């Protein structure tokens, strides 16, 4: 099983430069919506197609699912590994040329699966540098995917480790919260008022960019439950679980408001979940604020 996981991560590494190179010229919206009712860009569809093809071709992968398609795609042969992707997280940032990422969740149970069935989770961040952060076996590693190779997709691209033990700094610095402020429930808004006194606002509109800041500087990110959407916006299989797994593996905590994201029961493939991640004490305070 470990070889299969490595092979999936290798495919993601090899595909990332191609996804990045394909962003130019794919900034227009498609006629269709994704299963969550959101507009898709040509770039979302392109990234999804590349990942589906490459990941399903790995021996031992039984299925592939993504935010951009209704149904789970089964592999031709059975396999014990099931992969869920957000092919282009934060793709609304493409029009304004801000960061986006690819999120990958590697489960050893058929989807929808609980976070406790994750065997690895990773993301690629298309920032000034293309990097890849992988959580596996309780360790988080940051890699750089070298820029020179991005001009020659598919030519033996490798990920180069730059930090073999990514951990949240103990002294947090940044916060970022999604959703419109008037749409925040009162208990969450009151938590935010406290956090604002202590930390510095950094919010970029792509979860993966905001999570990367929390990993680097320490702090808290949330896309909370809203008055108009009690499960928030982000999706458990493709976003909540893998990010919860990465942050917890890096010594932080994740929560849906009352429990670890990894303990949320999966009910359907595209279910949404309130997401809060960050330094353990900040997430404990959040849970206390929401339970009062
Ligand atoms: P996406 O995966 O379709 O891009 O949606 C998820 C993104 C997150 O990256 C981000 O935290 C959130 O949507 C921002 O939403 P909004 O633009 O509604 O504030
Ligand atoms: Mg997303």
């Amino acid at each position: 099983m470990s070889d299969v996981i490595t092979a999936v991560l290798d495919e993601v590494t090899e595909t990332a430069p191609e996804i990045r190179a394909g962003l130019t010229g794919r900034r227009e919206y498609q006629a269709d919506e994704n299963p969550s009712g959101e507009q898709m860009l040509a770039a979302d569809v392109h990234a999804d197609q590349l990942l589906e093809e490459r990941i399903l071709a790995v021996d031992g992968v039984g299925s592939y699912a993504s935010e951009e398609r209704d149904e789970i795609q089964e592999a031709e042969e059975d396999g014990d590994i099931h992969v869920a992707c957000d092919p282009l997280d934060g793709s609304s940032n493409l029009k304004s040329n801000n960061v986006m990422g690819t999120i990958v969740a590697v489960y050893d149970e058929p989807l929808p699966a609980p976070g406790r069935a994750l065997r690895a989770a990773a993301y690629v961040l298309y920032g000034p540098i293309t990097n890849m952060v992988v959580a596996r076996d309780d360790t988080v590693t940051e890699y750089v995917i070298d820029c020179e190779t991005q001009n020659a997709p598919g030519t033996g691209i490798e990920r180069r480790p730059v930090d073999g033990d990514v951990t949240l700094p103990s002294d947090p610095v940044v916060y970022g919260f999604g959703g419109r402020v008037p749409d925040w429930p009162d208990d969450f808004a009151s938590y935010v008022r406290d956090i604002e006194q202590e930390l510095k606002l950094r919010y970029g509109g792509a979860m993966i960019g905001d999570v990367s800041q929390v990993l680097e500087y320490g702090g808290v990110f949330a896309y909370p439950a809203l008055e108009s959407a009690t499960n928030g916006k982000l999706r458990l299989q493709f976003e909540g679980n893998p990010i919860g797994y990465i942050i917890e593996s890096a010594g932080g905590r994740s929560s849906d408001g009352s429990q670890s994201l990894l303990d949320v029961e999966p009910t359907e493939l595209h279910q949404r979940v309130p997401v809060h991640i960050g330094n353990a004490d900040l997430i404990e305070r959040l849970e206390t604020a929401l339970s009062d």
Side-chain angles (χ1 to χ4, degrees):
M1 188 176 285
S2 175
D3 289 352
V4 181
I5 296 168
T6 301
V8 169
L9 296 171
D10 289 349
E11 289 300 332
V12 173
T13 303
E14 295 232 359
T15 308
E18 227 168 314
I19 292 175
R20 181 167 188 135
L23 297 174
T24 315
R26 288 195 173 82
R27 295 166 95 174
E28 76 281 8
Y29 283 105
Q30 302 288 103
D32 301 346
E33 292 183 336
N34 75 11
S36 300
E38 297 157 349
Q39 281 191 295
M40 283 185 293
L41 288 158
D44 287 309
V45 176
H46 181 240
D48 181 39
Q49 283 169 349
L50 288 175
L51 290 166
E52 181 220 18
E53 190 185 311
R54 308 275 168 79
I55 289 172
L56 277 183
V58 173
D59 263 356
V61 170
S63 69
Y64 169 89
S66 96
E67 235 181 68
E68 312 303 346
R69 52 181 76 222
D70 285 314
E71 306 291 339
I72 297 167
Q73 307 295 307
E74 305 287 342
E76 281 175 23
E77 311 265 327
D78 288 347
D80 295 329
I81 290 292
H82 304 273
V83 181
C85 287
D86 182 352
L88 215 43
D89 176 63
S91 56
S92 66
N93 272 358
L94 183 54
K95 290 218 169 249
S96 55
N97 195 21
N98 287 309
V99 299
M100 290 165 296
T102 294
I103 309 173
V104 184
V106 184
Y107 299 91
D108 67 0
E109 287 181 22
L111 307 174
R116 299 292 172 200
L118 281 167
R119 290 297 154 263
Y123 68 80
V124 175
L125 185 62
Y126 308 105
I129 295 164
T130 306
N131 71 350
M132 182 166 174
V133 170
V134 177
R136 194 176 173 182
D137 303 325
D138 291 326
T139 302
V140 182
T141 306
E142 180 192 355
Y143 302 88
V144 163
I145 301 176
D146 285 317
C147 286
E148 295 89 299
T149 53
Q150 288 178 14
N151 297 323
T155 52
I157 294 146
E158 286 186 2
R159 49 180 187 272
R160 183 165 51 84
V162 291
D163 184 349
D165 184 20
V166 177
T167 41
L168 263 75
S170 53
D171 196 10
V173 177
V174 297
Y175 74 93
F177 301 130
R180 292 173 56 249
V181 175
D183 208 6
W184 287 345
D186 289 346
D187 47 9
F188 183 75
S190 123
Y191 170 74
V192 176
R193 279 194 292 276
D194 281 349
I195 294 296
E196 284 171 340
Q197 304 303 316
E198 302 166 27
L199 305 180
K200 182 165 65 172
L201 173 62
R202 283 278 193 97
Y203 184 71
M207 177 188 73
I208 209 61
D210 295 325
V211 165
S212 180
Q213 297 191 127
V214 170
L215 270 177
E216 181 62 32
Y217 302 118
V220 56
F221 164 80
Y223 203 107
L226 301 176
E227 294 286 358
S228 64
T230 50
N231 288 321
K233 175 179 182 191
L234 302 175
R235 283 132 294 210
L236 181 65
Q237 296 298 298
F238 312 107
E239 292 161 322
N241 273 341
I243 293 313
Y245 185 84
I246 291 168
I247 292 290
E248 293 194 19
S249 301
R253 277 205 50 195
S254 75
S255 177
D256 70 346
S258 63
Q259 61 182 339
S260 165
L261 289 168
L262 306 180
D263 289 323
V264 174
E265 191 190 338
T267 53
E268 51 178 310
L269 187 62
H270 294 280
Q271 90 195 67
R272 299 180 192 264
V273 67
V275 168
H276 317 81
I277 59 93
N279 285 69
D281 54 328
L282 297 174
I283 299 301
E284 274 152 32
R285 280 168 57 190
L286 168 99
E287 288 184 342
T288 305
L290 297 193
S291 68
D292 285 346

